[in-house]
Amino acid sequence: MHAKFALALLGGILWGWMATAMAERWIDDLTTVTGTVLAHLVVYGIAVVPGFMNAFLVISLLLDRRPRFAAQSLHDRLPPITILVAAYNESASILGTLESIDRNNYPGELKVIVVNDGSSDNTLELLGTVSYPWLQVLDMGQNVGKARALTKALELVTTSLTLTVDGDSYLYKNALANLIRRYLSDPANTRAVAGAVLVRNSRVNLVTKVQEWDYFHGIAAIKRLQSLYHGTLVAQGAFSVYDTQVLRQLGGWPHTVGEDIVLTWGILKAGYRVGFAENACLFTNAPETWLQFIRQRQRWSRGLVEAFKLHWQLLFKPRMTTLFIWWNLLFPYMDLVFTFAFVPGMILALFGIYWIAGPMTLLVLPLAMLVNYLMFHIQAGMFREQDLKVRRNPLGFVIYALFYSVVLQPACVWGYCKEIISRTKSWGTK
């Protein structure tokens, strides 16, 4: 594993060195307009740093061989689990979520606690219409927020493993078993494993079609990369399994905007490993308007800032995954450069002014194309293994590949700013 990491790191450094050498003239030209410091910040943020990251990602994906489950029969009983489902105004989907859990036929003892967090619709009434033997409903009486609702439900858990599932999700077949088998098969210091979250409502409109590729390509590939080096950075609340004792040691879910990333970083800071089960598939509803999408990504960005505030010590922890913590530290910088330099530079380029966006920006395109090809090839293979088919969505991919960042990265920048100037914490989209 360390050899793979060293090889990927060396490849990334070599690509970054080549990009730096090729960008010297670009920096010199831009210096006459912006000054030396700003020119370096812009060029490194647009080409050099992303190029290093893409090179590291490509090499790592080529070297990645997903470990098999530990030797055991697929018919063996699995350990008892408790699933926590925090529900706030989920009347349209909560019964479907419970049905998908039932259809999973988990080969072990199962308990599900649905926490009704002060829903103003008829979520609670609908929960009273079903009688699964494994279902327990906890009514908070008033809205207290997702983190507090989950932490309250944690008090009722008696199993050694606790899962979280969003109330508007659909668990694909064997998702629960695959998630637990990955947890049991991973190294002994593993204390959480993230499942694979995919878009359920991708056919609704262009907004969801684009996000389908983000979940299918980008998010899944990054989690594979991070788990390869023993440190998935987000065991997302939508679908993950945690060691119950560790959850209690950490005080449950923190009352933050990004409670799942803050919790995951707390697990990592405690010295444990977080894994990823690429074949434990859950389909969830993505935001259906650009405004909802922007608000979602603002919350995710706020969660990143919160994680750094509470767990900055991870920057100095001697382990392979520390590299990705530093990457996350660079994301605000790259998002700022993209928003305030690259996007205006693209507009200027339309008028023949190539101060920022010009021929040198093409340097990152070959790697970006290779990354997308590898991600599609790997994910399509996983789908075939799970008897799933990749939906035909060419328009969504074109928008994702060419224009997605124009919306995504400015939204992230605004999220960073909101976390700095605002203390408001509220329920939000995943």
Side-chain angles (χ1 to χ4, degrees):
M1 195 61 61
H2 286 82
K4 292 180 180 179
F5 181 83
L7 184 60
L9 185 60
L10 177 61
I13 291 172
L14 289 175
W15 184 273
W17 173 80
M18 180 186 71
T20 301
M22 295 180 65
E24 286 184 1
R25 183 172 178 180
W26 183 15
I27 293 174
D28 290 340
D29 292 342
L30 188 58
T31 295
T32 61
V33 179
T34 65
T36 302
V37 174
L38 191 56
H40 279 82
L41 288 174
V42 168
V43 173
Y44 273 72
I46 291 174
V48 178
V49 176
F52 163 81
M53 292 180 174
N54 279 336
F56 185 95
L57 176 60
V58 166
I59 296 172
S60 296
L61 290 177
L62 289 172
L63 296 174
D64 185 27
R65 298 294 182 270
R66 304 305 293 172
R68 295 184 178 276
F69 292 144
Q72 59 180 323
S73 169
L74 294 180
H75 302 291
D76 286 350
R77 296 283 290 179
L78 293 176
I81 60 173
T82 300
I83 302 175
L84 305 183
V85 182
Y88 176 66
N89 292 344
E90 299 287 5
S91 60
S93 54
I94 188 63
L95 295 187
T97 299
L98 295 177
E99 183 181 358
S100 74
I101 293 175
D102 189 52
R103 287 183 175 180
N104 251 246
N105 294 316
Y106 178 72
E109 183 182 333
L110 170 68
K111 182 177 181 180
V112 178
I113 303 175
V114 178
V115 192
N116 178 52
D117 188 27
S119 298
S120 59
D121 62 4
N122 64 334
T123 297
L124 185 60
E125 288 76 8
L126 288 174
L127 289 169
T129 65
V130 292
S131 57
Y132 297 109
W134 37 256
L135 177 62
Q136 178 179 354
V137 177
L138 173 62
D139 183 21
M140 299 301 294
Q142 61 180 356
N143 181 253
V144 298
K146 186 175 184 179
R148 289 172 177 166
L150 289 173
T151 300
K152 184 64 177 179
L154 182 64
E155 298 176 6
L156 305 177
V157 176
T158 58
T159 58
S160 62
L161 296 177
T162 300
L163 288 76
T164 54
V165 169
D166 274 345
D168 63 347
S169 303
Y170 180 87
L171 285 159
Y172 188 64
K173 65 179 182 180
N174 299 321
L176 294 176
N178 285 344
L179 184 66
I180 301 304
R181 288 192 176 102
R182 171 52 55 216
Y183 183 94
L184 297 175
S185 304
D186 273 4
N189 66 331
T190 300
R191 292 298 181 272
V193 172
V197 178
L198 302 161
V199 174
R200 182 181 186 182
N201 57 337
S202 62
R203 296 186 179 181
V204 171
N205 55 31
L206 181 60
V207 181
T208 59
K209 288 179 185 292
V210 174
Q211 289 176 86
E212 179 178 41
W213 288 107
D214 188 15
Y215 283 74
F216 182 77
H217 264 200
I219 295 175
I222 293 301
K223 287 187 181 296
R224 290 178 73 104
L225 170 69
Q226 294 171 351
S227 66
L228 172 64
Y229 301 120
H230 302 305
T232 303
L233 295 190
V234 185
Q236 71 286 327
F239 187 39
S240 293
V241 58
Y242 310 88
D243 180 280
T244 302
Q245 184 177 357
V246 170
L247 284 177
R248 288 179 171 143
Q249 289 173 353
L250 296 174
W253 286 262
H255 186 56
T256 57
V257 173
E259 73 282 337
D260 48 6
I261 183 174
V262 175
L263 173 63
T264 307
W265 285 31
I267 295 172
L268 292 171
K269 190 169 73 172
Y272 300 117
R273 177 188 179 278
V274 179
F276 173 58
E278 76 285 348
N279 60 350
C281 300
L282 173 141
F283 291 85
T284 193
N285 290 324
E288 295 182 2
T289 69
W290 286 117
L291 181 59
Q292 291 174 348
F293 169 78
I294 289 170
R295 288 175 176 170
Q296 179 200 60
R297 297 314 167 100
Q298 287 175 357
R299 283 186 287 270
W300 289 10
S301 298
R302 289 189 65 176
L304 177 62
V305 177
E306 290 171 327
F308 273 113
K309 287 180 179 178
L310 294 171
H311 302 302
W312 57 267
Q313 299 90 339
L314 283 173
L315 287 166
F316 308 102
K317 204 169 184 68
R319 58 198 295 182
M320 289 184 290
T321 193
T322 299
L323 174 66
F324 306 123
I325 303 293
W326 282 95
W327 278 21
N328 277 261
L329 188 63
L330 290 173
F331 285 159
Y333 153 61
M334 291 190 294
D335 290 338
L336 282 167
V337 171
F338 184 91
T339 301
F340 296 109
F342 185 73
V343 173
M346 291 293 291
I347 296 173
L348 289 173
L350 295 175
F351 297 94
I353 303 173
Y354 302 110
W355 290 338
I356 296 173
M360 278 301 301
T361 58
L362 299 177
L363 186 65
V364 298
L365 290 183
L367 266 183
M369 293 173 62
L370 181 56
V371 166
N372 275 292
Y373 170 77
L374 282 175
M375 289 190 292
F376 179 83
H377 176 73
I378 291 170
Q379 283 293 90
M382 184 275 288
F383 263 41
R384 286 192 297 271
E385 292 174 0
Q386 299 302 308
D387 296 323
L388 286 166
K389 292 183 179 180
V390 181
R391 291 177 177 175
R392 292 181 59 84
N393 183 7
L395 177 60
F397 179 76
V398 171
I399 301 299
Y400 167 74
L402 299 179
F403 304 108
Y404 192 59
S405 292
V406 176
V407 178
L408 172 64
Q409 291 179 273
C412 292
V413 169
W414 183 234
Y416 304 138
C417 295
K418 286 185 69 174
E419 177 56 29
I420 294 173
I421 64 178
S422 173
R423 305 263 54 84
T424 302
K425 312 292 182 184
S426 63
W427 263 79
T429 308
K430 300 165 288 300

